[in-house]
Amino acid sequence: MISPQLSHINPNPSFPFSNSTFPQSLPTKTLKPHFKPKPTPIVSVLQYNRKPQLSGETPRVVVITSGKGGVGKTTSTANIGLSLARLGFSVVAIDADVGLRNLDLLLGLENRVNYTAFEVINGDCRLDQALVRDKRWSNFELLCISKPRSKLPMGFGGKALIWLVDALKTRSEGCPDFIIIDCPAGIDAGFITAITPANEAVLVVTPDITSLRDADRVTGLLECDGIKDIKMIVNRVRTDLIRGEDMMSVLDVQEMLGLALLGVIPEDSEVIRSTNRGYPLVLNRPPTLAGLAFEQAAWRLVEQDSMKAVMVEEEPKKRGFFSFFGG
Amino acid sequence: MASISIALSLLQQQQPISIQTVIPSKHRLSSSLRVFSAKFERNSSYCYVKWNPQKIGKRFLLSVCCCSSENPENGRFGSNGVEGLGKFVSSLQGTIGTLTPVLNGIKGQVGKNYAVGLCIAIAFLLITIRAYTSRKSGYNRQGSVADLVKRGQLRSDRRGISKPLKYDDPFNNPLVKISENNSSVEMCGKVYRLAPVTLTEREQSNHQKRRSRAYQWKRPTMFIKEGDSIPPDVDPDTVRWIPANHPFATTVSDIDEGLAQNNVYQKHGVPFRIKAEHEALQRKLEALQNDQKLDKLGVDPSNARDFERPYKSFSKSNEHLEQRPSLNQNSNSTSPKSDRHPNTPNDNSSSEELQKP
Ligand SMILES: Nc1ncnc2c1ncn2[C@@H]1O[C@H](COP(=O)(O)OP(=O)(O)OP(=O)(O)O)[C@@H](O)[C@H]1O
Ligand SMILES: [Mg+2]
């Protein structure tokens, strides 16, 4: 049970996720934010025909976290990381999921991970030997923190990540534009390690209250740690369920967490296929819906932008006669 | 399209009738049909029809030119149509007569019914082919379990694994279109309605305030073994206890912080531990050589040569070794095999990992 722990941390009854007040504290109208009377003008949400403008200082150290497990942190890290590389930025992805690492699998680099940061710390290899360069996009590199069965000495878990970021800054090929850290679930030692070097955070949530409660707590911890730039990705969104009022809409989620939106990723069966292939879906051709959404999220991350409009539901498309021929 | 207008003028020369707007689309249909069937014949495994207007335009023009060489026949056929039927049918007939070489062969003898029948047959064939190709493309789709087999994660004798494609122009994506008034977006052939984000700055800061009241937290910076007491001048909030059986974290380490940091910052040269191991081996060899016990120990000459290589390359730095007596202790017991694996012998887990494919 999470509740006793929560009320212990949070004596404040106004907290919208505390058990008893949670359902009632939300005014019912917030469940249908898109029926609000005065529609503000929508500005364009998608960008394609230009190179995104990198804002902020490099390296941008971004931790991708969630609190709850299995909501898509690793999927987001792989896809946003490779999108950034495709957009021309140099990226180092750090798999800080010490206990259950699987970013290498998603990227299809599992056979090339010989050394990890653990060996670097131990002096078994140099940092450049532990970085696995992706053959598809050579400006993308992967660094795993440790082998699944080795134990990370916590005396310098977080410190080691700071050293690693420092070492990457001063390396001869130049400082990477982005260092993306895949954070483990929970708020245990692994989480603490992963967030230590970060300047900004991407919170991955799914539109269900369990994920949202964890996300809220993690956001609170990140804010306590001084990470103020927190944006969220809402993953596994199903417009059909939202229309049927069976799933919270993205705007409902935003109303509950009060975080800027970096991206909305639809539920997509291509995700599992791309995992099987070890080939992140942003590299798929033809691109899939989720792939496009990840790409747009990466775009916003570069420009430190957030979404101004969200896709709410599918409209029937008027199909011309020649659509029969695939036109 | 330019090619179509040229074609229209060609047709108008041949036939005195006025040509309606239905003609261009009909042209496109029949010409694309031919492109398609040609492709299909040439390579029956080719299962993707590309709608390439430029290509089709060219082909179409070509076929028009071919047909115009058989002018007298066409003209006769065209004028017959005008007499018997309305404008629509005649133009349709004219199109078919001018453009389809298959029809060219037979149109002298047979009437319009046959042509219409043929059209229907071709359309039917097209539908069948399309259904077939879409089914086929469903079979060899990517990212199936077959890919896990290919990656060696699953054992299986399955075959037929397709190559992954690269989609490599992020700056030009024809699959995403935004409507003019920004109220909807088309992605991957589906149209979605857009709703503006309603979160305001004020709401955002209210949430931040709520969270800062709800959660007080300090990131732990000190990790100690479970059971140990907090050192005196340390904020107890920043201390985290790690149990001995923690799945991935430990407080024990055989390396000190300064050295670990140096290891991370090292840019060139031999990593510290490899160096230390080689030096230890070298010392061992040196000791053996000094004692002249090489033969008595039964070390065969090829093995001895293996020992000598690290001896030469690392003979210069001895002072480092003296700083780390504990490591020398470790390495002294190292067997020659350990210079293939840069792990210490007590580091079983990682050497296991290394050998794993
Ligand atoms: N948009 C999506 N559509 C469909 N499935 C998804 C989507 N996003 C993630 N998944 C699936 O959810 C599962 C968990 O994803 P992932 O491993 O990225 O989560 P995680 O947050 O990293 O998990 P963990 O907490 O264990 O590290 C995977 O099987 C993935 O295929
Ligand atoms: Mg993960």
Side-chain angles (χ1 to χ4, degrees):
Chain A
M1 275 295 279
I2 310 162
S3 44
Q5 212 181 336
L6 244 162
S7 48
H8 162 73
I9 297 277
N10 166 37
N12 189 340
S14 74
F15 173 55
F17 295 103
S18 57
N19 289 341
S20 55
T21 55
F22 174 53
Q24 292 90 341
S25 70
L26 277 175
T28 41
K29 84 165 181 20
T30 62
L31 284 172
K32 309 180 185 84
H34 46 264
F35 295 139
K36 273 178 182 169
K38 181 181 62 63
T40 44
I42 302 166
V43 289
S44 180
V45 279
L46 297 167
Q47 295 290 347
Y48 272 103
N49 42 12
R50 64 189 178 87
K51 193 172 153 56
Q53 218 81 61
L54 180 61
S55 81
E57 261 175 55
T58 56
R60 300 259 307 270
V61 187
V62 185
V63 62
I64 298 195
T65 181
S66 70
K68 188 173 185 282
V71 295
K73 294 177 291 295
T74 311
T75 309
S76 304
T77 311
N79 283 292
I80 289 182
L82 271 179
S83 286
L84 291 172
R86 259 158 49 79
L87 295 173
F89 301 100
S90 61
V91 181
V92 175
I94 300 183
D95 188 349
D97 200 337
V98 203
L100 307 160
R101 109 179 177 207
N102 43 28
L103 182 57
D104 53 336
L105 272 175
L106 253 76
L107 292 165
L109 298 175
E110 71 277 10
N111 293 333
R112 297 183 48 210
V113 181
N114 292 325
Y115 297 117
T116 64
F118 180 77
E119 276 89 38
V120 177
I121 294 165
N122 265 333
D124 290 324
C125 71
R126 294 188 313 269
L127 175 58
D128 55 303
Q129 296 172 309
L131 288 167
V132 182
R133 195 174 283 279
D134 192 301
K135 289 195 178 119
R136 296 160 292 202
W137 296 95
S138 60
N139 46 353
F140 183 91
E141 285 162 296
L142 171 72
L143 175 69
C144 296
I145 287 291
S146 67
K147 300 269 162 70
R149 272 165 293 168
S150 55
K151 286 200 174 190
L152 192 72
M154 287 312 290
F156 32 85
K159 272 182 230 155
L161 271 185
I162 291 179
W163 302 332
L164 286 167
V165 169
D166 265 353
L168 286 171
K169 265 187 214 169
T170 56
R171 67 177 181 171
S172 50
E173 340 53 309
C175 161
D177 298 316
F178 284 91
I179 297 176
I180 301 185
I181 304 171
D182 181 20
C183 179
I187 47 174
D188 191 20
F191 168 79
I192 295 159
T193 307
I195 68 164
T196 306
N199 305 324
E200 49 193 296
V202 172
L203 199 74
V204 182
V205 298
T206 52
D208 60 90
I209 50 164
T210 54
S211 156
L212 293 187
R213 178 195 276 169
D214 290 2
D216 193 73
R217 180 144 186 223
V218 162
T219 312
L221 303 191
L222 290 171
E223 281 165 352
C224 289
D225 196 45
I227 300 175
K228 298 292 176 208
D229 186 353
I230 307 171
K231 297 205 174 74
M232 67 172 172
I233 285 182
V234 185
N235 191 15
R236 313 195 75 153
V237 174
R238 287 185 55 179
T239 43
D240 55 333
L241 288 187
I242 292 172
R243 195 177 40 215
E245 302 260 310
D246 291 324
M247 185 186 255
M248 271 185 271
S249 80
V250 173
L251 296 179
D252 298 330
V253 171
Q254 193 172 37
E255 188 131 349
M256 288 173 78
L257 290 179
L259 292 174
L261 262 175
L262 187 68
V264 176
I265 317 294
E267 172 91 27
D268 191 338
S269 58
E270 274 305 319
V271 173
I272 186 82
R273 287 204 204 110
S274 72
T275 309
N276 287 346
R277 289 168 69 199
Y279 211 82
L281 76 165
V282 288
L283 300 180
N284 274 11
R285 194 178 63 185
T288 63
L289 212 52
L292 290 173
F294 274 124
E295 195 170 73
Q296 290 295 315
W299 203 290
R300 287 181 206 105
L301 185 70
V302 172
E303 304 199 324
Q304 293 188 321
D305 194 11
S306 62
M307 285 176 93
K308 302 292 184 295
V310 293
M311 305 198 302
V312 276
E313 65 190 38
E314 210 173 306
E315 278 178 354
K317 189 193 170 189
K318 290 180 278 307
R319 299 199 92 199
F321 174 69
F322 287 104
S323 62
F324 171 79
F325 300 98
Chain B
M1 215 191 294
S3 56
I4 283 185
S5 61
I6 294 165
L8 281 176
S9 59
L10 261 171
L11 279 171
Q12 272 160 342
Q13 280 171 10
Q14 295 162 21
Q15 295 159 301
I17 50 153
S18 69
I19 290 151
Q20 291 177 335
T21 45
V22 69
I23 289 177
S25 61
K26 197 64 205 172
H27 285 173
R28 277 175 71 188
L29 174 62
S30 56
S31 58
S32 77
L33 202 137
R34 225 174 306 131
V35 173
F36 179 83
S37 55
K39 268 185 182 169
F40 192 76
E41 273 162 29
R42 219 177 301 134
N43 179 6
S44 57
S45 70
Y46 190 90
C47 59
Y48 183 64
V49 189
K50 228 180 185 170
W51 183 270
N52 189 339
Q54 229 184 339
K55 213 186 203 169
I56 286 162
K58 270 184 209 148
R59 267 184 175 265
F60 164 64
L61 206 72
L62 213 122
S63 59
V64 169
C65 294
C66 289
C67 296
S68 61
S69 64
E70 303 161 314
N71 238 350
E73 255 186 18
N74 284 341
R76 189 164 38 110
F77 189 76
S79 53
N80 280 348
V82 180
E83 283 161 23
L85 293 155
K87 273 183 180 180
F88 175 76
V89 179
S90 68
S91 61
L92 196 82
Q93 233 177 13
T95 313
I96 294 164
T98 341
L99 291 174
T100 323
V102 188
L103 287 182
N104 277 346
I106 51 162
K107 68 184 169 241
Q109 293 87 355
V110 294
K112 56 192 181 297
N113 285 343
Y114 193 89
V116 169
L118 197 74
C119 257
I120 292 169
I122 288 171
F124 184 75
L125 189 74
L126 204 75
I127 291 167
T128 330
I129 289 165
R130 194 180 145 90
Y132 169 75
T133 51
S134 63
R135 183 127 36 96
K136 197 168 175 237
S137 67
Y139 283 137
N140 59 14
R141 62 153 191 263
Q142 301 176 332
S144 62
V145 175
D147 283 292
L148 285 179
V149 177
K150 191 169 75 179
R151 294 169 68 195
Q153 300 288 337
L154 268 186
R155 240 185 300 260
S156 165
D157 297 316
R158 284 197 214 192
R159 290 281 175 276
I161 292 158
S162 54
K163 261 197 343 209
L165 285 167
K166 259 191 200 173
Y167 158 58
D168 45 21
D169 185 8
F171 304 112
N172 172 30
N173 196 323
L175 284 161
V176 178
K177 288 174 209 131
I178 298 187
S179 66
E180 286 102 62
N181 57 357
N182 272 332
S183 66
S184 68
V185 59
E186 186 185 332
M187 281 171 113
C188 298
K190 283 178 184 160
V191 181
Y192 294 88
R193 198 164 65 76
L194 290 177
V197 160
T198 48
L199 184 81
T200 60
E201 292 274 309
R202 210 169 57 82
E203 277 171 340
Q204 210 166 335
S205 71
N206 281 346
H207 273 279
Q208 214 160 332
K209 275 187 218 123
R210 168 183 61 77
R211 275 193 291 261
S212 74
R213 277 196 308 266
Y215 312 106
Q216 266 91 45
W217 188 67
K218 280 196 185 116
R219 175 161 49 83
T221 49
M222 174 123 206
F223 296 88
I224 55 180
K225 205 162 83 225
E226 206 171 50
D228 283 6
S229 56
I230 305 168
D233 51 340
V234 169
D235 181 356
D237 283 351
T238 63
V239 170
R240 182 64 64 100
W241 285 268
I242 305 286
N245 62 356
H246 193 282
F248 58 81
T250 173
T251 51
V252 294
S253 164
D254 60 347
I255 198 159
D256 73 20
E257 200 172 310
L259 199 57
Q261 191 170 3
N262 279 344
N263 288 339
V264 172
Y265 285 126
Q266 182 179 2
K267 295 250 156 50
H268 310 282
V270 184
F272 157 75
R273 198 173 289 248
I274 309 273
K275 201 186 218 165
E277 276 171 17
H278 281 195
E279 280 164 7
L281 278 175
Q282 168 224 314
R283 274 160 58 105
K284 197 173 169 185
L285 190 72
E286 222 170 287
L288 284 170
Q289 277 173 336
N290 287 347
D291 296 350
Q292 301 288 316
K293 284 175 186 167
L294 220 57
D295 296 327
K296 284 171 208 160
L297 277 170
V299 178
D300 71 278
S302 63
N303 253 351
R305 232 171 287 132
D306 276 353
F307 273 81
E308 264 160 28
R309 219 182 315 114
Y311 167 67
K312 273 172 195 149
S313 46
F314 298 106
S315 51
K316 37 194 187 306
S317 51
N318 255 333
E319 71 286 358
H320 209 71
L321 227 59
E322 259 71 65
Q323 295 170 0
R324 305 283 310 156
S326 67
L327 265 169
N328 292 343
Q329 207 61 43
N330 267 344
S331 319
N332 274 341
S333 59
T334 312
S335 60
K337 124 175 181 292
S338 75
D339 59 24
R340 262 181 285 129
H341 297 287
N343 299 303
T344 51
N346 58 356
D347 191 15
N348 288 332
S349 57
S350 27
S351 59
E352 239 171 79
E353 270 302 306
L354 263 181
Q355 281 161 326
K356 232 181 65 181

